[in-house]
Amino acid sequence: MTAETETQQSTGSCCSPAGSCHDTAADVQIGAVTTVYRVTGMTCGHCEGAVTAELTALPGVSSVKAVAATGEVTVVSAAPLAEDDVRAAVDEAGYELTGQA
């Protein structure tokens, strides 16, 4: 097998160079920080959208996934976020940040 053939085979892989598999685009961002927060009060898709919109507006945030059923909000950012900033954004959306999951 030539090096060129090996490269072509690995290009289509779903695994990272570290060998872990990814199931969402947020997982493959190099150099990003992923933090999971607990938010109370979310009950539906509208709630998820409101929290997502406020957190997405924070500087450095590249993706947000809010899940009302679990109360978890996953935030991917370029650097760690100040908890006060996250709390203020969640408050602005009308919900309560209870900490990190």
Side-chain angles (χ1 to χ4, degrees), residues 9-16:
Q9 288 177 340
S10 64
T11 301
S13 173
C14 69
C15 295
S16 71

Side-chain angles (χ1 to χ4, degrees), residues 4-5 18 70:
E4 182 179 9
T5 304
T70 63

